[in-house]
């Protein structure tokens, strides 16, 4: 499992398409054939493996301009006037895991378990933000009083 997917909190939801319409989940991806199919049945032409802008492994899937240009649903798929639709996804093992985690986060059981943790994290954040976690002593050792004059004299 990739270290970039090891998270302790909720996973961000999938970003919607910039156009109001088809998101990544609307496309079917055939990992073995290295091809994606759009909701209207067109197949992708380009499949490039590399890195995204954050330096993580990614697969860039592009549809040909000739395929997308005459499509009646182009406005729901992309805002580009020159190029076809492009999808950027994680490698297969990461993508499958990410989709599974996102679907689990939608369940009421997961939300109930996370609610307790969110309360604890909020309390810790408040303590950090107000400086309550800082010690009031300036040196490593606390001043100790001799036992013969206990309790210590008031000053």
């Amino acid at each position: 499992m990739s270290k970039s997917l090891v998270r302790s909190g909720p996973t961000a939801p999938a970003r919607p398409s910039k156009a109001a319409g088809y998101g990544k989940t609307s496309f079917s991806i055939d990992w073995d054939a290295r091809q994606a199919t759009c909701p209207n049945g067109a197949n992708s032409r380009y499949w490039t493996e590399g890195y995204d802008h954050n330096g993580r492994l990614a697969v860039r899937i592009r549809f040909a301009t000739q395929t997308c240009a005459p499509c009646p649903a182009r406005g729901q798929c992309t805002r580009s006037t020159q190029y076809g639709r492009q999808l950027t996804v994680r490698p297969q093992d990461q993508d499958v895991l990410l989709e599974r985690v996102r679907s689990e986060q939608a369940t009421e059981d997961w939300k109930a378990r996370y609610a307790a943790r969110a309360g604890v994290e909020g309390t810790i954040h408040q303590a950090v933000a107000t400086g309550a976690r800082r010690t009031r002593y300036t040196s490593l050792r606390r001043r100790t009083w001799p036992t013969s004059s206990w309790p210590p004299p008031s000053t």
Side-chain angles (χ1 to χ4, degrees):
M1 180 167 48
S2 172
K3 187 176 182 179
S4 64
L5 284 180
V6 176
R7 298 182 59 111
S8 55
T11 302
R15 276 191 324 194
S17 169
K18 291 178 182 172
Y22 301 135
K24 184 194 111 174
T25 56
S26 301
F27 292 79
S28 62
I29 300 174
D30 183 354
W31 294 96
D32 296 328
R34 296 171 49 114
Q35 196 170 55
T37 305
C38 80
N40 290 328
N43 292 325
S44 63
R45 178 175 287 178
Y46 307 101
W47 181 284
T48 309
E49 295 177 4
Y51 296 93
D52 66 2
H53 61 277
N54 292 322
R56 295 178 296 202
L57 286 173
V59 176
R60 186 168 291 120
I61 304 167
R62 292 183 298 154
F63 289 82
T65 305
Q66 299 82 359
T67 304
C68 293
C71 181
R74 182 181 176 95
Q76 292 178 300
C77 198
T78 183
R79 292 187 306 178
S80 175
T81 57
Q82 292 182 324
Y83 304 105
R85 174 65 190 258
Q86 176 176 305
L87 298 172
T88 302
V89 296
R90 303 271 156 250
Q92 182 178 8
D93 58 338
Q94 294 178 16
D95 191 63
V96 169
L97 177 64
L98 194 56
E99 291 306 318
R100 191 195 73 199
V101 169
R102 284 182 177 147
S103 65
E104 286 174 4
Q105 286 178 188
T107 64
E108 292 302 318
D109 180 47
W110 189 93
K111 290 177 184 179
R113 283 192 331 248
Y114 188 74
R117 179 186 166 159
V120 171
E121 287 181 353
T123 303
I124 292 171
H125 172 51
Q126 185 176 6
V128 171
T130 60
R133 289 184 54 178
R134 295 195 180 133
T135 181
R136 63 185 177 135
Y137 302 107
T138 57
S139 66
L140 294 176
R141 292 182 50 170
R142 227 172 103 176
R143 182 175 176 189
T144 58
W145 298 97
T147 56
S148 62
S149 64
W150 192 258
S154 60
T155 55

